[in-house]
Amino acid sequence: MQIGIVGLPFSGKSTLFQTLTKTHLDPAALAKIESHHAIVKVPDERLDRLSAIFSPKRTVHASIEFVDVVGLKKGETGSTQFTNNFLASVKPNDALVQVVRLFTNDAVPHPEGSIDPLRDLATFETEFILSDLTVIETRIDRIKKQLMKTQDEHLKRELPLLEKCHHTLSAEKPLRELTFTKEDLQILKTYQLLTAKPMLVALNLDESQRSIAKTAVDRVKATKSGQNTRVVSFFGKIELELSELNDDDAALFMQEYDIAESALATIIRESYALLGLQSFFTVGEDECRAWTIKKGMTAQEAAGAIHSDFVSKFIRAEVVHYDHFIQHDGSFAKAKEAGHWRLEGKEYIVNDGDIISVRHS
Ligand SMILES: Nc1nc2c(ncn2[C@@H]2O[C@H](COP(=O)(O)OP(=O)(O)OP(=O)(O)O)[C@@H](O)[C@H]2O)c(=O)[nH]1
Ligand SMILES: [Mg+2]
């Protein structure tokens, strides 16, 4: 799972990237033209607790890759230029975090000359819609030509889908506002359409703007519809300081600044929700581990996340939910006695927090 951090120049992308990934980029690295990648452990208190119970040799958290997407340039007219290079680096991401600037800082002026989050969001939307329109129009032309030669069933199914997308984009709406079937998504995936990517809008505020945070979030939310967009706010500068502290100092710091949850935790949680992800666990003396899967996956598909061989060799899954396991003192025997230990088949839909052991041939 890869999440791209995008936003106008000087909006705080690299600040957020360093906060999330707890990496430090020196000025030379920041000035580089390639995007920065880092893999982040997904914090999960449940896994920490399981690990305390089993004392395994290894504890493995789920992970997400974040990318600080660079490449937006200032054009000759002074406005930001969305180069093909930049758009190409956005494409491989599964979801986007768009950093939008609300903080003021005279040392780094906003590239458009003023703070206006709705305008900045609209700028991105327009550019991404234009890029998707080009991809879709080219594809529609090609399909129409091919259909004059052959009556390919697959192409016949694809055409109305692309026409539906074209219609939406022509009305200046992003594709993430549409609902697609699983099959549609499979077809669209190959085109890596920018406006189809789930998006988390992250408003970057100054510590002194605390009182306007909620209004700012609500104002952006009012312009966004659909389940594939979420909006949060964060305090870029102090969050970066927070991420550099050890756990004890961080707790004190959060108390002092009245921060309920770190940006890292908020953004990972929201990204999980946006991407329809959830975790299940495997436990034992060797390893306690959290695995990331899509919501709605069956036990057989989930087993495939552990090992691709498990899909064909799957027999049954032993399942106890984390909550039941903890309620029964972290004992499988007690959970079983209370009727919370189940043997499930291939079609069982896995729940967030299930502890699973796969029986396979
Ligand atoms: N006052 C204030 N300054 C911030 C905040 N977030 C970032 N900055 C400053 O703004 C400048 C740009 O931040 P970056 O994180 O490098 O922004 P960026 O979006 O990666 O910028 P480019 O990669 O150049 O497009 C830096 O000098 C930061 O210290 C914030 O929340 N408050
Ligand atoms: Mg940067």
Side-chain angles (χ1 to χ4, degrees):
M1 216 44 70
Q2 183 180 310
I3 300 182
I5 302 174
V6 298
L8 287 176
F10 306 139
S11 52
K13 300 177 295 290
S14 299
T15 301
L16 181 63
F17 176 80
Q18 294 176 88
T19 304
L20 295 176
T21 60
K22 295 186 196 278
T23 46
H24 180 76
L25 299 174
D26 56 41
L30 281 171
K32 271 206 324 200
I33 42 164
E34 291 114 68
S35 299
H36 312 285
H37 290 247
I39 300 202
V40 174
K41 260 183 9 183
V42 176
D44 192 331
E45 284 173 4
R46 298 170 303 180
L47 180 65
D48 299 338
R49 187 128 181 225
L50 290 171
S51 184
I53 293 170
F54 288 91
S55 311
K57 293 188 193 118
R58 272 191 313 277
T59 300
V60 186
H61 286 77
S63 60
I64 294 189
E65 182 167 0
F66 281 98
V67 185
D68 181 4
V69 184
V70 302
L72 267 189
K73 289 215 177 75
K74 252 190 154 296
E76 277 156 20
T77 57
S79 64
T80 310
Q81 276 195 329
F82 288 70
T83 60
N84 285 336
N85 238 347
F86 169 74
L87 296 171
S89 337
V90 181
K91 287 187 177 179
N93 295 290
D94 297 298
L96 302 176
V97 173
Q98 179 163 359
V99 180
V100 181
R101 172 166 172 176
L102 264 97
F103 69 86
T104 47
N105 183 341
D106 293 338
V108 265
H110 187 296
E112 304 296 321
S114 62
I115 302 293
D116 184 345
L118 295 183
R119 173 204 58 206
D120 294 351
L121 280 164
T123 302
F124 264 79
E125 194 111 294
T126 306
E127 295 290 342
F128 282 6
I129 285 174
L130 286 176
S131 162
D132 285 355
L133 264 177
T134 311
V135 172
I136 290 203
E137 280 170 1
T138 311
R139 183 68 191 152
I140 287 179
D141 281 352
R142 188 165 299 160
I143 291 182
K144 281 186 175 162
K145 277 191 194 127
Q146 276 173 314
L147 282 177
M148 286 198 285
K149 286 185 238 147
T150 69
Q151 289 299 304
D152 183 291
E153 285 308 312
H154 186 79
L155 294 180
K156 274 195 203 161
R157 229 186 31 230
E158 187 175 337
L159 188 57
L161 170 64
L162 294 183
E163 280 171 341
K164 172 173 138 181
C165 292
H166 189 268
H167 182 77
T168 301
L169 293 165
S170 304
E172 296 175 23
K173 292 207 171 303
L175 298 175
R176 72 176 70 83
E177 289 183 10
L178 293 178
T179 319
F180 294 111
T181 65
K182 234 178 172 175
E183 273 179 346
D184 289 348
L185 288 174
Q186 202 58 38
I187 296 173
L188 292 179
K189 206 173 156 185
T190 44
Y191 303 119
Q192 301 185 311
L193 297 161
L194 300 173
T195 68
K197 297 183 193 301
M199 189 168 80
L200 178 63
V201 176
L203 304 177
N204 186 8
L205 292 103
D206 244 339
E207 161 52 16
S208 61
Q209 294 170 310
R210 187 174 290 266
S211 60
I212 63 158
K214 190 174 176 302
T215 326
V217 167
D218 289 345
R219 195 168 291 159
V220 173
K221 273 187 183 160
T223 69
K224 302 276 158 203
S225 61
Q227 55 182 8
N228 292 318
T229 311
R230 286 175 169 249
V231 188
V232 295
S233 64
F234 73 108
F235 304 105
K237 215 162 187 176
I238 55 173
E239 287 280 359
L240 182 59
E241 287 171 32
L242 176 62
S243 72
E244 286 161 353
L245 300 176
N246 64 37
D247 288 355
D248 290 343
D249 290 347
L252 281 176
F253 188 93
M254 284 169 77
Q255 224 171 15
E256 190 177 326
Y257 283 93
D258 195 21
I259 301 171
E261 188 181 52
S262 69
L264 169 69
T266 312
I267 285 178
I268 290 185
R269 185 166 43 78
E270 295 288 331
S271 304
Y272 250 57
L274 206 50
L275 289 162
L277 300 176
Q278 62 178 19
S279 304
F280 73 91
F281 305 107
T282 52
V283 295
E285 284 165 11
D286 277 341
E287 181 181 273
C288 283
R289 183 161 182 165
W291 304 85
T292 305
I293 56 166
K294 283 249 174 209
K295 280 194 177 132
M297 272 195 173
T298 62
Q300 188 179 26
E301 288 167 328
I306 302 174
H307 199 298
S308 50
D309 269 4
F310 283 6
V311 177
S312 59
K313 294 182 175 158
F314 183 94
I315 301 175
R316 287 205 181 291
E318 298 170 21
V319 183
V320 178
H321 194 270
Y322 169 84
D323 292 341
H324 293 136
F325 184 68
I326 296 297
Q327 272 162 28
H328 294 89
D329 310 326
S331 154
F332 282 120
K334 284 190 192 170
K336 194 170 185 176
E337 232 166 74
H340 293 307
W341 182 96
R342 302 181 316 264
L343 207 49
E344 300 282 5
K346 282 180 189 173
E347 301 302 326
Y348 169 71
I349 305 291
V350 174
N351 287 305
D352 185 52
D354 276 347
I355 302 173
I356 293 184
S357 168
V358 178
R359 287 193 191 167
H360 54 89
S361 55

